Amino acid sequence: PLLFKFINFNNFSKVLDIGGGAGVNAIDIASKFNNVMITILEIPGTALIAEKNIKEAGLSDRVNVLSGNMFEDNFPKGYDC
């Protein structure tokens, strides 16, 4: 993915994917960078799709999903990217 051309995720341990959709980028990141834990913040309906995709990719131990609204809710803290 083009994303890896610009960001070396080896420099991060906890990534917050705001508006992460169905989890495509988070799954790609977690698949390539074993040291990274990822949280997706996504609206409830789409969050369910992301959870399904993450489970199917076998990455539930390193990628999780928080239901929320990026325009209304506070972002969780403790992430380095």
Side-chain angles (χ1 to χ4, degrees):
L2 186 62
L3 183 63
F4 300 151
K5 195 173 194 178
F6 299 102
I7 301 172
N8 180 356
F9 286 93
N10 282 320
N11 297 324
F12 306 106
S13 61
K14 291 185 73 182
V15 173
L16 178 60
D17 187 358
I18 300 166
V24 173
N25 286 329
I27 290 167
D28 282 347
I29 294 166
S31 295
K32 181 166 173 127
F33 300 94
N34 294 329
N35 61 307
V36 179
M37 303 291 287
I38 304 168
T39 298
I40 298 171
L41 176 65
E42 188 51 79
I43 59 174
T46 307
L48 293 173
I49 296 167
E51 288 172 347
K52 176 182 170 281
N53 292 339
I54 292 161
K55 183 177 181 180
E56 287 176 0
L59 293 167
S60 298
D61 59 328
R62 292 191 299 114
V63 182
N64 65 26
V65 182
L66 291 176
S67 291
N69 184 318
M70 68 180 177
F71 299 110
E72 298 173 0
D73 298 326
N74 292 325
F75 296 158
K77 300 198 183 313
Y79 296 88
D80 53 11
C81 177

